[in-house]
Amino acid sequence: MFYRENGQFKTSYKSDQQIFPIPQDRWLILAIVAFAFLGIPFMVDEYLFRAILIPFLILSLAALGVNILVGYCGQITLGAGAFMAVGAYAAYNFLIRVSGMPALGAILLGGFTAAAVGIVFGIPSLRVRGLYLAVATLAAQFFWDWAFLRVKWFTNDASSGSVSVADIDVFGWIVNTPTDKYLFCLVILVIFSLMAKNLVRGSIGRQWMAIRDMDVAATVIGIRPLYAKLTAFAVSSFYLGVAGALWGMINLGSWEPAAFSIDRSFQLLFMVIIGGMGAIAGSFFGAAFIVILPIFLNQILPIIGGLFGLEVSIALVSHVEIMIFGALIVFFLIVEPHGIARLWSTGREKLRLWPFPH
Amino acid sequence: MSGRKIGEVILDLKNISLSFGGVKALQDISFDVREHEIRAIIGPNGAGKSSMLNVINGVYRPQEGDIILRGVHHANMDSYGAAKAGLARTFQNIALFKGMSVLDNIMTGRNLKMKANMLQQAFWLGAAQREELEHRLKVEEIIDFLEIQHIRKTPVGRLPYGLQKRVDLARALAMEPQILLLDEPMAGMNVEEKQDMCRFILDVNDQFGTTVVLIEHDMGVVMDISDRVVVLDYGKKIGDGTPDEVRANPDVISAYLGASH
């Protein structure tokens, strides 16, 4: 009834090339963004901000980075956590070692440092692919885990090994309350998502996808694998670096290398696989699934237990939570191997024709 | 095929030899391609036809021999250099980008002509936006030309084989090549699809003046549309000339029909 395209005719290629060519989609996304900015800050409490929303925003950003590399360029990576760590520690060092360094500048420089490191660790992708590349990127993970733990310079000789950052200041805006942190991350995520979408719909994005789908044909058409793969590593690591800096400086405040361990790399890869490889929206779905679902299960399980008159202990909840979470992942991968984003787009296709089946 | 004038030699292959370990795929093969002509390479299975095409556009490096493209020697042709020099090709087993739409597939053919830097693309500003529109116009011309308007937004993986072959051709044409290499453009097609494809190849040759080098098994098609034919067998050249000459060549007859002993 509402999701219809009839009567909407494109009269220029420009209007056909918009990010959301269907006006209904455009309005929906605008409404969601507007609600995120204007509605949510007045509706939720501090716990929700800290436990769910801020981690969700930052991990979405990181998942976007992983999706660019894995989903769009087809280069598998297990080093995502390491690039986040590089971003976080680089931003920290820029902030404390360069006097007068603005926080936003430090965060972006953290991203650029991660991009440079990403290019270096992306070089093996020119020779190896698939699982072998995964192992090669694993080297990045182990190397940086070690470096940030053992090389004291990175942590400014902190005796405990953990570093901390005071409230950050963005053009006079002191980002210290959960609402401020949420809004700051939201602004960055919106801008970065827009950039990611522009990149993947433009010439560079087509080069990445061409390399992913058929690299011999891509070369014959005049795409240089070296350029396409290394830019994908650079852009992906830039996103991861900025996400890492936000994770450390905004979400945690003080952190140790363990915050960016291999678990984080796996988590980000799972987000992209479950959310949808090669779809920008997939990054958000994946992050939401992995961040929100465990907490949701945690809250809902005792209530369900109560319905059946069962006393559910906290230990049991955490065990059952992991089991259900795992089962859901398997379920999703069987039902839709292309991720939640594909489920979403199939749903939209159906809705466009509803109530007719074809 | 009126108004089409075959010009000078544009591509000259001299003494090309290619081997993989002990297997000699191509042995001392020389032939030339003239501007605006349709040049066919034929031969039985395993004769080295696809290897020949791969040598021409730099996918394989021959151990010996010289490739002269418009007077320039390319002893070490690589794929990127070949693309820059105006060579485009289609593939025997369709090598389209399966995850992308028809439109995006064809747009990748314009890649070499797009110059906007990454920052412009990220913010969709200036050159990035302008280029995207300019090249879309050109791509739409090709889509019209090949009559695939109705599928432009469809992911190529969902298309039937005949249409995929057409998209493969469209992607090559988007490069505006001077020489178009076609590796069995009609393999696996039904009669109507073959007729369409022949028409497109002749039209490309006629309207854009594109030189065409094609490999094909359908002798009827080859003899009909090509100006000159080179025949390979077991990596050796056994015939070269107009379709009529080749048809009368005893070596060719024995390679195809078996020699009478």
Side-chain angles (χ1 to χ4, degrees):
Chain A
M1 179 113 195
F2 301 104
Y3 197 72
R4 281 284 188 283
E5 282 174 81
N6 36 359
Q8 299 172 10
F9 299 111
K10 301 282 185 294
T11 51
S12 70
Y13 293 132
K14 193 170 178 170
S15 68
D16 192 43
Q17 283 174 342
Q18 295 173 92
I19 295 181
F20 301 108
I22 303 172
Q24 286 94 325
D25 286 346
R26 203 152 55 234
W27 290 114
L28 176 71
I29 297 294
L30 275 177
I32 291 174
V33 173
F35 178 70
F37 273 107
L38 303 171
I40 287 180
F42 301 102
M43 292 168 64
V44 302
D45 58 3
E46 197 165 307
Y47 167 78
L48 266 181
F49 274 130
R50 282 191 193 286
I52 295 185
L53 291 172
I54 294 172
F56 164 70
L57 293 177
I58 298 175
L59 290 178
S60 294
L61 183 62
L64 263 180
V66 176
N67 212 340
I68 285 172
L69 187 61
V70 181
Y72 283 95
C73 197
Q75 310 297 310
I76 195 162
T77 174
L78 286 176
F83 299 125
M84 282 182 82
V86 170
Y89 282 97
Y92 167 77
N93 279 297
F94 277 116
L95 200 61
I96 57 159
R97 286 176 202 275
V98 182
S99 65
M101 170 63 73
L104 192 61
I107 290 173
L108 290 179
L109 281 172
F112 285 118
T113 312
V117 171
I119 291 175
V120 172
F121 282 92
I123 290 173
S125 74
L126 305 175
R127 301 297 298 209
V128 296
R129 62 178 83 184
L131 292 173
Y132 300 95
L133 180 62
V135 174
T137 54
L138 205 55
Q141 183 70 46
F142 289 132
F143 174 74
W144 290 106
D145 271 0
W146 170 84
F148 292 128
L149 205 57
R150 299 283 170 230
V151 182
K152 291 295 176 198
W153 185 85
F154 288 127
T155 51
N156 200 21
D157 301 307
S159 53
S160 64
S162 85
V163 298
S164 63
V165 173
D167 292 335
I168 68 165
D169 176 344
V170 182
F171 305 121
W173 173 29
I174 310 292
V175 182
N176 58 0
T177 68
T179 317
D180 285 343
K181 290 178 175 179
Y182 164 82
L183 286 173
F184 180 65
C185 292
L186 186 62
V187 170
I188 289 190
L189 179 63
V190 167
I191 294 171
F192 275 61
S193 309
L194 206 61
M195 278 163 51
K197 184 66 198 176
N198 282 337
L199 285 175
V200 299
R201 70 183 170 137
S203 129
I204 185 77
R206 283 192 297 267
Q207 292 187 40
W208 292 338
M209 291 187 274
I211 289 288
R212 170 194 72 187
D213 286 346
M214 189 67 74
D215 52 358
V216 176
T219 327
V220 164
I221 243 167
I223 292 169
R224 282 164 300 173
L226 177 105
Y227 178 78
K229 287 180 181 174
L230 292 188
T231 49
F233 266 97
V235 173
S236 159
S237 309
F238 176 70
Y239 274 63
L240 284 165
V242 170
L246 291 177
W247 189 259
M249 291 161 61
I250 304 278
N251 185 41
L252 298 176
S254 70
W255 71 91
E256 293 171 5
F260 306 104
S261 66
I262 188 156
D263 290 350
R264 181 71 65 210
S265 301
F266 279 124
Q267 193 191 31
L268 289 170
L269 193 61
F270 294 160
M271 280 181 190
V272 171
I273 293 172
I274 292 170
M277 291 205 273
I280 295 289
S283 317
F284 304 113
F285 291 134
F289 187 88
I290 289 204
V291 174
I292 297 174
L293 195 69
I295 296 174
F296 174 74
L297 288 174
N298 192 297
Q299 301 289 318
I300 202 85
L301 282 177
I303 299 172
I304 294 178
L307 287 179
F308 295 100
L310 293 171
E311 190 68 31
V312 184
S313 71
I314 298 198
L316 183 63
V317 166
S318 64
H319 290 150
V320 174
E321 174 195 319
I322 292 170
M323 285 155 64
I324 295 181
F325 187 57
L328 276 173
I329 290 177
V330 174
F331 172 77
F332 261 107
L333 292 182
I334 290 172
V335 171
E336 185 51 79
H338 296 284
I340 304 173
R342 179 63 67 85
L343 223 52
W344 167 250
S345 69
T346 326
R348 274 189 349 185
E349 290 287 315
K350 289 230 190 315
L351 206 58
R352 283 163 70 175
L353 300 170
W354 187 86
F356 305 107
H358 300 293
Chain B
M1 277 193 277
S2 59
R4 189 172 62 97
K5 218 169 164 185
I6 291 174
E8 294 299 301
V9 171
I10 180 171
L11 174 68
D12 198 1
L13 297 149
K14 287 202 164 136
N15 311 99
I16 301 283
S17 293
L18 172 76
S19 56
F20 300 104
V23 181
K24 289 176 178 157
L26 298 170
Q27 294 176 49
D28 197 27
I29 291 180
S30 307
F31 67 93
D32 59 27
V33 179
R34 290 173 178 280
E35 204 165 6
H36 307 314
E37 79 172 338
I38 297 182
R39 186 75 149 119
I41 303 175
I42 62 170
N45 283 329
K49 306 181 295 292
S50 288
S51 298
M52 195 66 237
L53 229 52
N54 281 332
V55 165
I56 295 176
N57 83 330
V59 177
Y60 294 157
R61 304 264 170 104
Q63 277 80 19
E64 279 167 54
D66 197 4
I67 302 169
I68 303 163
L69 186 61
R70 246 174 284 107
V72 184
H73 292 263
H74 290 271
N76 270 318
M77 179 85 89
D78 64 353
S79 307
Y80 180 71
K84 281 214 122 165
L87 286 153
R89 76 171 284 182
T90 66
F91 292 83
Q92 184 177 358
N93 316 309
I94 305 167
L96 288 170
F97 308 126
K98 291 233 167 7
M100 299 159 74
S101 69
V102 169
L103 190 63
D104 278 342
N105 264 278
I106 305 173
M107 284 292 276
T108 52
R110 307 295 295 172
N111 173 59
L112 274 176
K113 299 180 195 304
M114 299 181 85
K115 299 278 177 277
N117 64 38
M118 208 186 288
L119 208 62
Q120 287 168 325
Q121 290 185 44
F123 294 101
W124 207 250
L125 288 174
Q129 200 181 15
R130 202 171 56 241
E131 274 185 352
E132 201 75 13
L133 284 173
E134 272 171 28
H135 292 289
R136 175 74 186 268
L137 275 175
K138 184 72 204 170
V139 164
E140 290 289 344
E141 280 173 25
I142 292 162
I143 289 178
D144 279 353
F145 182 82
L146 293 178
E147 298 159 18
I148 45 177
Q149 297 92 334
H150 58 298
I151 52 166
R152 59 160 83 78
K153 294 278 175 76
T154 316
V156 287
R158 282 195 213 158
L159 295 177
Y161 181 80
L163 283 177
Q164 290 199 10
K165 280 277 195 193
R166 224 186 275 183
V167 177
D168 199 3
L169 179 62
R171 185 179 64 182
L173 285 180
M175 294 170 72
E176 296 180 65
Q178 288 176 324
I179 304 179
L180 184 59
L181 312 172
L182 304 174
D183 196 347
E184 301 202 17
M186 281 155 250
M189 285 186 167
N190 63 31
V191 177
E192 281 181 24
E193 287 170 334
K194 275 186 188 174
Q195 285 171 346
D196 280 343
M197 192 49 97
C198 282
R199 184 162 54 88
F200 291 133
I201 293 171
L202 290 172
D203 280 352
V204 167
N205 181 248
D206 199 29
Q207 289 184 21
F208 307 145
T210 311
T211 309
V212 177
V213 179
L214 83 141
I215 295 176
E216 188 46 57
H217 272 303
D218 187 319
M219 281 306 128
V221 168
V222 169
M223 297 302 171
D224 262 0
I225 70 172
S226 44
D227 297 302
R228 287 192 299 156
V229 180
V230 55
V231 191
L232 302 183
D233 190 23
Y234 292 113
K236 292 187 181 124
K237 186 169 101 169
I238 58 170
D240 191 354
T242 63
D244 288 332
E245 285 166 15
V246 165
R247 214 177 317 210
N249 185 329
D251 287 340
V252 177
I253 295 172
S254 73
Y256 268 89
L257 301 177
S260 53
H261 294 288

